[in-house]
Every structure is written in C-alpha cells, then in structure tokens.
Amino acid sequence: MLRVAFVFLAATVGYVVSLSRPDVAPPSQPCDAPLQWEARSVQYNHNTGRNTRAAVSYDAPNQRMRILQQHKKHTPCQKYFEYIFLYQSGLVFQIDTKTQQCSKTVLTEAWDPFDIPSNSTFEDQYLLGGPGDILEVQEWSDRKPARKHETWVGVYTLKDCFPVLETYTFKNSVSTSTRFFDLQLGISDPNVFVPPPTCQSASPHRLEEQGC
C-alpha cells in the first residue's frame, strides 16, 4: 500500500513487453513478500515529471527503511538526500549527502509494509520480457466491486514475491510509479539505519530540496 517514504522521491518508468496468462486461475491469497531486502529503485512522479533514483534498505521486522537518493549527472540547484525512517520511534531523519546537514521530524503515518495486503484483488498473471529472458509476475490491486477504479496496483514476482512495480493514483490521476531492481535479500549493513553524528543537533524542520 502507500509508502510514506516515497513521498520524498520521484523516477523514470520502464517499459516491458508482457504476455497475459488468461489460463491462470486466480490464487486464493497473495504471496508473502520478503521481510528484509536491499534494492535500487526508480520512481516517476506523474504530476511533477520528476525522476528520482535511490538505493533502498528495507527492514520490516524493525519497521525501518533507509533511502539514499542517487544521481548520474550534475543537476544545477538540485540537492540529494539520505532518508532514515524509524517507525517504531516515530521519526524520520533527512541528511543532505553533500553538507551532512540533518533534520529530524515526526512521522505522522503508521508503518505500511512493502507487501500485498491480504484483502487485495488479483488482477492478472503474465510474463515480462521476451523469449529466453522471461520473468513471471502477478498483479494485484486494492480495487473493490463497489469502487470502479483502484488507487494502488502492485506487481510482484511469482517465484519469490519480490516487488517489481507499484503505481499509486490520487483523485483518479496517476501520481507515482516505482520500479524495483537489483534486489538482494537481507541487510548487508545494519548501520545504515543509524543517523550520522550531525543529526545530534538536527533541525526540527525539513530541509529545502532546491539549492538555489
């Protein structure tokens, strides 16, 4: 469902060829997504047209997530940040990756895991890619019979239930699409969830995203 962490982000949409599987019977329930993983993500904000790349560390048992914005080229006036979301403490740290300036603000939303909610609606099962290079996935949404349009669509791999793509809409307009790739199970460095020393004197206000 809605990930408050990615409200701070935005990225490019990937296009893939998909072959629907009309012969597949709807599963009785969604698969179980992994609880700890690291990956790269690309999110596209359809309202602003902004693309954002990031490295993500996700730790469901401890309800925490770290997002490190990345860039491939210099963009004038654009700042890049590291975000550390600690839901059990109700705090989010925002760190300027260049200056290490830090802010600490209160999280207003509850923890919302990267998974397929048990009450989701099965939409489709299909193959991504082409001959000899195929990935089978399932698509789920929060669509209900009484509501015409869904506000969340999630695509997860059939074999291991890894997140592939999530799309959110707001007021019938597509707002964000996020792709996940290079996913690895586990947390290679738990210290990524520890705020740096500069956060000991953190500002209580969110840092400005534009530098000029």
Side-chain angles (χ1 to χ4, degrees):
M1 301 303 290
L2 181 62
R3 325 296 177 197
V4 64
F6 285 91
V7 171
F8 293 91
L9 304 178
T12 183
V13 177
Y15 294 91
V16 293
V17 175
S18 65
L19 300 176
S20 182
R21 297 288 304 278
D23 57 319
V24 174
S28 58
Q29 60 183 12
C31 58
D32 294 324
L35 298 178
Q36 290 182 320
W37 47 264
E38 295 176 323
R40 290 194 294 154
S41 71
V42 179
Q43 186 184 79
Y44 177 69
N45 188 310
H46 297 258
N47 299 319
T48 65
R50 179 183 173 189
N51 296 331
T52 301
R53 298 178 179 271
V56 182
S57 298
Y58 171 79
D59 181 12
N62 296 297
Q63 297 186 358
R64 56 188 184 175
M65 183 156 50
R66 181 250 198 168
I67 298 174
L68 178 62
Q69 291 184 337
Q70 300 176 326
H71 59 93
K72 289 189 174 182
K73 63 180 181 179
H74 174 69
T75 304
C77 302
Q78 181 63 54
K79 294 182 178 181
Y80 295 90
F81 297 96
E82 175 184 7
Y83 296 94
I84 301 175
F85 296 85
L86 305 177
Y87 283 86
Q88 292 183 349
S89 301
L91 297 172
V92 56
F93 292 87
Q94 178 192 17
I95 303 102
D96 187 314
T97 57
K98 182 178 181 179
T99 66
Q100 291 301 297
Q101 184 181 1
C102 178
S103 74
K104 179 175 68 174
T105 54
V106 175
L107 278 170
T108 57
E109 281 81 7
W111 168 256
D112 190 3
F114 275 102
D115 63 2
I116 307 171
S118 59
N119 62 347
S120 297
T121 298
F122 175 76
E123 296 290 354
D124 203 355
Q125 183 169 316
Y126 46 85
L127 306 175
L128 297 180
D133 190 11
I134 288 176
L135 177 67
E136 192 162 12
V137 299
Q138 286 187 344
E139 182 178 298
W140 297 78
S141 78
D142 63 351
R143 179 176 58 86
K144 296 296 182 289
R147 187 173 62 221
K148 183 177 181 180
H149 300 293
E150 65 273 2
T151 61
W152 166 80
V153 175
V155 178
Y156 283 71
T157 62
L158 180 65
K159 181 177 181 294
D160 295 306
C161 207
F162 293 156
V164 175
L165 174 68
E166 290 201 321
T167 300
Y168 287 94
T169 60
F170 179 70
K171 293 183 178 180
N172 296 325
S173 176
V174 177
S175 55
T176 61
S177 296
T178 306
R179 292 186 294 121
F180 300 92
F181 49 95
D182 292 345
L183 193 145
Q184 300 290 330
L185 291 177
I187 303 298
S188 59
D189 181 10
N191 289 324
V192 298
F193 299 108
V194 179
T198 54
C199 289
Q200 293 181 0
S201 57
S203 166
H205 304 290
R206 183 178 172 183
L207 302 178
E208 293 292 335
E209 295 185 0
Q210 296 296 323
C212 56

